[in-house]
Amino acid sequence: MEKTKILIIEDDAEISRLTAMYLEVEGFDTKVINDGSTAISAIQSYAPDLIILDLMLPGLSGIEICKQARNFYFGAIIVLTACNDDVSEISLLKLGADDFLTKPLKPHVLVARIGALMRRVQSQQVKSVKTKHSRLNINLDNQQVTFDGIELNLTGRI
């Protein structure tokens, strides 16, 4: 089974080093970026399953990275911040973050949140798979069923 790829975008060298080290021990594949200006290209080239994104970064802020990344990146984003207020949390979630953690990080909580997000993402990926069995084709994305190429009109009632 392929390891979950996590991109850590954090300018504090000690936090990023310890986070990467802990996640690698837990079985994740990690890459660290310490500058906001290289974050977008790193997301595109590394294609992570999950991003851990600090808010306060040199170059490009975490908020701007989150906004830009959501134009092409559909994986999970966990935002890290030193701020602990509802307004920041709500704003980040509206901008596309999937979860929000305050510093200092508790590594076991981070791993639990990553696990929860990855389960959700993976279950959505399974649901979007088209199922085909000989003459029957089931497309869960658009909720269409065809038999020998003829669309069947099904209802939600049993």
Side-chain angles (χ1 to χ4, degrees), residues 20-61:
M21 197 169 65
Y22 187 80
L23 293 176
E24 286 169 5
V25 166
E26 291 291 322
F28 298 103
D29 182 26
T30 65
K31 179 179 176 89
V32 175
I33 298 296
N34 58 15
D35 190 319
S37 60
T38 60
I40 297 298
S41 61
I43 294 167
Q44 292 168 330
S45 63
Y46 185 59
D49 299 302
L50 182 135
I51 297 170
I52 297 174
L53 176 63
D54 185 24
L55 273 188
M56 305 298 284
L57 294 164
L60 202 60
S61 74

Side-chain angles (χ1 to χ4, degrees), residues 31-95:
K31 179 179 176 89
V32 175
I33 298 296
N34 58 15
D35 190 319
S37 60
T38 60
I40 297 298
S41 61
I43 294 167
Q44 292 168 330
S45 63
Y46 185 59
D49 299 302
L50 182 135
I51 297 170
I52 297 174
L53 176 63
D54 185 24
L55 273 188
M56 305 298 284
L57 294 164
L60 202 60
S61 74
I63 290 172
E64 193 56 39
I65 292 166
C66 191
K67 281 197 291 192
Q68 287 184 31
R70 281 302 182 208
N71 291 321
F72 65 90
Y73 176 74
F74 302 102
I77 299 175
I78 296 177
V79 174
L80 304 180
T81 184
C83 302
N84 189 11
D85 63 87
D86 290 347
V87 175
S88 295
E89 187 171 351
I90 291 166
S91 300
L92 289 165
L93 293 170
K94 285 182 177 181
L95 289 172

Side-chain angles (χ1 to χ4, degrees), residues 124-135:
Q124 287 174 342
Q125 288 170 346
V126 168
K127 287 180 184 176
S128 70
V129 171
K130 294 178 184 177
T131 305
K132 187 167 183 154
H133 185 271
S134 64
R135 298 164 48 194

